[in-house]
């Protein structure tokens, strides 16, 4: 620091006479760069004897003495600055804790008002007000903000506005993303999972999830990390694959490090030629494609539920009964008083819920107490269809929950699917038990053991079989209950089971192939 600069910052008085002193070092230009540096030692002695140096030295020593003994305006200013710094630091820590709490809980931040004390000012300000009742630091801050809002005065800063909340959230997001990307770089190879769903504002939010292996406490651990949301209303395989590549580039992730890709079974994602997985494979041949196991199970069940008219009638009746009671609070209240379980509406995406849909109809107690709902419910066809579907959906639901577990690997998924197939194949040989069980339930409820004859394809096939047997010399087959049972077993029970078994076998063939390829690990 030059002497003149020090004089200005310390405030010591310097007269024109001082500046015109013979000390070149005290001049604004200092010692010239073109001067002879070997003569600088003489200039230093000359400078130390000058009035400018003496006054600055005395001012410096006086300032040092005041700081040492804690006296003088400088000490009070420094103390005030430290107190303000500590105060705002504590306030910001509390605000950040509230923001992290709301973010982790998935709660909305703001309401329709941003004023302290309003009933509709949102969760963020509500929590700040609640904490201020017990925290003196926040209380003083909240009172000052409330007073300024009441008087219509604008505080220079208070950190409670929506813009500040967004800045905090963005900073937290950046820190988390940087940590994930750093963790990913240490792991190097990764798998990517991509799925999309529209949000409340009707924007298609595409979710990117990374899956990789890290070394933690001397053990390898598979982790999944949510990376980002991307707005993408495009639906073709080309457009989505381009968006995936751009997301990789934006986050500085080499596509060559991708070793697996997982999507749902939509044709634009899983298509063999024009799907996203095919486009990514062209750019990175080592990125093996693995579809979502749970979504595949749902598709298998959905196909089985629509494979024959009897199945469509059964699930359609369940939805009709639900609508009947759900449309009237009085009916629902009566229903709740008489049964121990609740009816549920059909879900087109969460097929595991259908176990709960079928359960009330598989219960003899429930059936006796739900009177007058529909004629179909009081038929033997409903009893036996309930029994069949319940026995099919329960093991599928258990498998669905197992493969959704956080640490489940592909070999565990394949083993559970194979176990499920064995259970369904065993169920195929238990027709007599299912028929006998259904007959006992029907007899206990005084329901005639008679299968309804609709206009579906199964009825036409049954008529064809009956005609063939009559041509062979059998008579009165239309009245023979054994024939009714045989036709139902062949054209309903076996068709539903074969649809599920065939769907599982075909749709999980790719998973089996990947598991076999890496089974040595």
């Amino acid at each position: 620091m030059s002497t003149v600069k020090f004089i200005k910052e310390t405030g010591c008085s310097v007269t024109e006479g001082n500046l015109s002193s013979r000390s070149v070092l005290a001049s604004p230009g200092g010692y010239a760069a073109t001067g002879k540096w070997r003569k600088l030692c003489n200039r230093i002695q000359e400078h130390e004897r000058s009035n400018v140096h003496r006054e600055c030295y005395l001012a410096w020593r006086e300032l040092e003495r005041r700081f040492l003994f804690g006296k003088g305006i400088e000490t009070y200013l420094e103390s005030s600055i430290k107190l303000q710094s500590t105060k705002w630091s504590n306030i910001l820590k509390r605000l950040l804790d509230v923001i992290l709490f709301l973010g982790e809980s998935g709660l909305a931040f703001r309401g329709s008002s941003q004023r302290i004390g309003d009933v509709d000012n949102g969760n963020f300000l509500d929590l700040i007000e609640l904490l201020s009742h017990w925290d003196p630091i926040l209380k003083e801050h909240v009172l000052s903000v409330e007073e300024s809002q009441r008087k219509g005065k604008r505080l220079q800063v208070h950190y409670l506005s929506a813009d500040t909340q967004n800045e905090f959230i963005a900073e937290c997001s950046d820190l988390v993303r940087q940590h994930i990307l750093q963790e990913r770089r240490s792991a190097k190879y990764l798998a990517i999972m991509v799925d999309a769903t529209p949000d409340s504002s009707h924007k298609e939010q595409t979710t990117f999830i990374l899956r990789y292996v890290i070394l933690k406490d001397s053990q390898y651990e598979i982790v999944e990390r949510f990376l980002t949301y991307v707005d993408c209303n495009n639906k073709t395989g080309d457009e989505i694959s381009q968006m995936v590549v751009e997301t990789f580039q934006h986050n500085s992730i080499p596509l060559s490090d991708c070793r697996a890709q997982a999507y749902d079974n939509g044709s634009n994602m899983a298509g063999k030629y024009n799907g996203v997985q095919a486009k990514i494979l062209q750019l990175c041949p080592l990125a093996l494609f693995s579809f979502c196991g749970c979504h595949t199970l749902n598709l298998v069940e959905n196909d089985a539920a629509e494979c024959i008219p009897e199945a469509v009638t059964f699930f359609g009746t369940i939805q009709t009964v639900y609508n009947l009671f759900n449309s009237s609070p009085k009916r629902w209240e009566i229903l709740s008083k008489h049964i121990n379980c609740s009816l549920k509406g059909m879900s087109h995406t969460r097929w595991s819920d259908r176990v709960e849909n079928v359960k009330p109809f598989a219960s003899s107690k429930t059936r006796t107490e739900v009177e007058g709902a529909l004629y179909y419910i009081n038929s033997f066809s409903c009893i036996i269809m309930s029994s069949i579907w319940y026995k099919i959906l329960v093991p599928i639901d258990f498998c669905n929950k197992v493969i959704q577990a956080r640490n489940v690997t592909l070999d565990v998924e394949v083993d559970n699917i194979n176990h499920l197939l064995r259970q369904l194949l065993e169920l195929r040989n238990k027709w007599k038990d299912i028929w006998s069980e259904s007959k006992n339930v029907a007899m206990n409820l005084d329901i005639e053991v008679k299968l309804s004859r609709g206009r579906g394809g199964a009825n036409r096939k049954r008529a064809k079989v009956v005609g063939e047997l009559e041509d062979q010399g059998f008579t009165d087959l239309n009245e023979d209950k054994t024939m009714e049972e045989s036709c139902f077993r062949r054209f309903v029970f076996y068709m539903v089971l074969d649809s599920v078994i065939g769907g599982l076998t075909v749709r999980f063939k790719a998973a089996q192939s990947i598991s076999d390829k890496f089974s040595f690990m």
Side-chain angles (χ1 to χ4, degrees), residues 193-368:
M193 294 182 283
V194 180
D195 196 12
T197 187
D199 61 10
S200 58
S201 62
H202 307 289
K203 292 183 179 180
E204 192 78 8
Q205 294 280 11
T206 304
T207 306
F208 280 80
I209 296 178
L210 305 183
R211 186 178 173 96
Y212 45 83
V213 179
I214 62 173
L215 184 61
K216 185 177 181 181
D217 298 331
S218 302
Q219 290 188 349
Y220 289 101
E221 179 183 352
I222 301 173
V223 296
E224 290 183 3
R225 297 285 187 259
F226 165 74
L227 180 63
T228 185
Y229 280 123
V230 178
D231 293 338
C232 180
N233 295 319
N234 300 321
K235 294 295 184 181
T236 67
D238 281 329
E239 293 170 331
I240 298 176
S241 61
Q242 181 63 31
M243 180 260 297
V244 172
V245 173
E246 290 175 356
T247 303
F248 267 74
Q249 293 173 348
H250 178 72
N251 291 280
S252 302
I253 302 176
L255 187 61
S256 58
D257 288 346
C258 184
R259 288 296 178 268
Q261 45 180 330
Y263 319 115
D264 59 22
N265 285 274
S267 59
N268 61 338
M269 303 299 291
K272 189 174 182 180
Y273 301 104
N274 295 316
V276 175
Q277 65 94 10
K279 301 296 182 181
I280 297 298
L281 276 174
Q282 294 175 2
L283 301 174
C284 181
L286 297 178
L288 296 176
F289 169 61
S290 176
F291 50 76
C292 174
C294 297
H295 185 249
T296 302
L297 278 177
N298 290 344
L299 292 177
V300 169
E301 294 173 345
N302 187 67
D303 293 343
E306 298 177 353
C307 67
I308 55 174
E310 285 81 359
V312 175
T313 301
F314 173 71
F315 285 107
T317 303
I318 291 179
Q319 183 62 39
T320 301
V321 173
Y322 170 77
N323 294 338
L324 176 68
F325 285 97
N326 190 54
S327 61
S328 170
K330 183 65 176 178
R331 293 175 191 164
W332 195 269
E333 181 183 2
I334 295 173
L335 178 71
S336 301
K337 290 180 180 179
H338 290 279
I339 66 174
N340 296 324
C341 53
S342 176
L343 299 178
K344 292 182 180 292
M346 304 299 292
S347 172
H348 295 287
T349 56
R350 297 183 300 274
W351 262 85
S352 59
D353 288 349
R354 298 207 176 190
V355 177
E356 302 299 324
N357 302 145
V358 175
K359 189 181 296 182
F361 292 86
S363 167
S364 60
K365 181 178 184 300
T366 302
R367 289 187 47 79
T368 59

Side-chain angles (χ1 to χ4, degrees), residues 389-424:
W389 277 106
Y390 190 71
K391 287 177 170 56
I392 292 175
L393 293 175
V394 165
I396 290 180
D397 179 57
F398 178 78
C399 180
N400 198 12
K401 292 177 180 177
V402 169
I403 64 178
Q404 287 186 73
R406 185 178 184 85
N407 295 323
V408 167
T409 54
L410 188 63
D411 58 327
V412 176
E413 175 184 323
V414 171
D415 288 343
N416 276 271
I417 294 298
N418 290 333
H419 179 68
L420 175 60
L421 284 170
R422 288 193 294 270
Q423 285 182 292
L424 295 176

Side-chain angles (χ1 to χ4, degrees), residues 64-82:
E64 185 181 47
R65 186 185 66 80
R66 290 200 300 267
F67 272 115
L68 181 62
F69 293 101
K71 297 180 179 180
I73 189 64
E74 297 86 356
T75 303
Y76 293 110
L77 287 175
E78 185 179 25
S79 177
S80 177
I81 291 172
K82 288 182 177 179

Side-chain angles (χ1 to χ4, degrees), residues 92-240:
L92 291 176
K93 287 178 181 178
R94 286 154 176 78
L95 299 184
L96 182 58
D97 283 342
V98 173
I99 289 174
L100 292 176
F101 170 77
L102 293 174
E104 291 173 356
S105 303
L107 299 174
F109 277 66
R110 296 183 287 276
S112 58
S113 170
Q114 294 191 40
R115 295 180 63 87
I116 299 294
D118 286 1
V119 294
D120 53 354
N121 57 10
N123 292 324
F124 177 78
L125 291 180
D126 277 347
L127 282 175
I128 295 298
E129 291 177 35
L130 175 63
L131 293 176
S132 68
H133 294 163
W134 311 99
D135 191 312
I137 297 177
L138 268 183
K139 183 175 183 179
E140 179 186 355
H141 182 59
V142 168
L143 288 176
S144 64
V145 174
E146 186 177 15
E147 182 68 15
S148 68
Q149 290 178 343
R150 186 178 62 83
K151 293 181 178 180
K153 295 181 179 180
R154 183 179 182 276
L155 287 177
Q156 184 176 3
V157 64
H158 56 75
Y159 298 114
L160 297 180
S161 67
D163 293 336
T164 301
Q165 297 169 35
N166 291 336
E167 289 181 15
F168 269 115
I169 295 170
E171 290 297 326
C172 293
S173 174
D174 290 340
L175 289 174
V176 172
R177 185 180 295 109
Q178 291 171 13
H179 174 77
I180 291 173
L181 294 176
Q182 178 60 38
E183 190 179 60
R184 200 289 309 170
R185 282 192 287 270
S186 64
K188 188 170 177 61
Y189 300 114
L190 75 152
I192 184 172
M193 294 182 283
V194 180
D195 196 12
T197 187
D199 61 10
S200 58
S201 62
H202 307 289
K203 292 183 179 180
E204 192 78 8
Q205 294 280 11
T206 304
T207 306
F208 280 80
I209 296 178
L210 305 183
R211 186 178 173 96
Y212 45 83
V213 179
I214 62 173
L215 184 61
K216 185 177 181 181
D217 298 331
S218 302
Q219 290 188 349
Y220 289 101
E221 179 183 352
I222 301 173
V223 296
E224 290 183 3
R225 297 285 187 259
F226 165 74
L227 180 63
T228 185
Y229 280 123
V230 178
D231 293 338
C232 180
N233 295 319
N234 300 321
K235 294 295 184 181
T236 67
D238 281 329
E239 293 170 331
I240 298 176

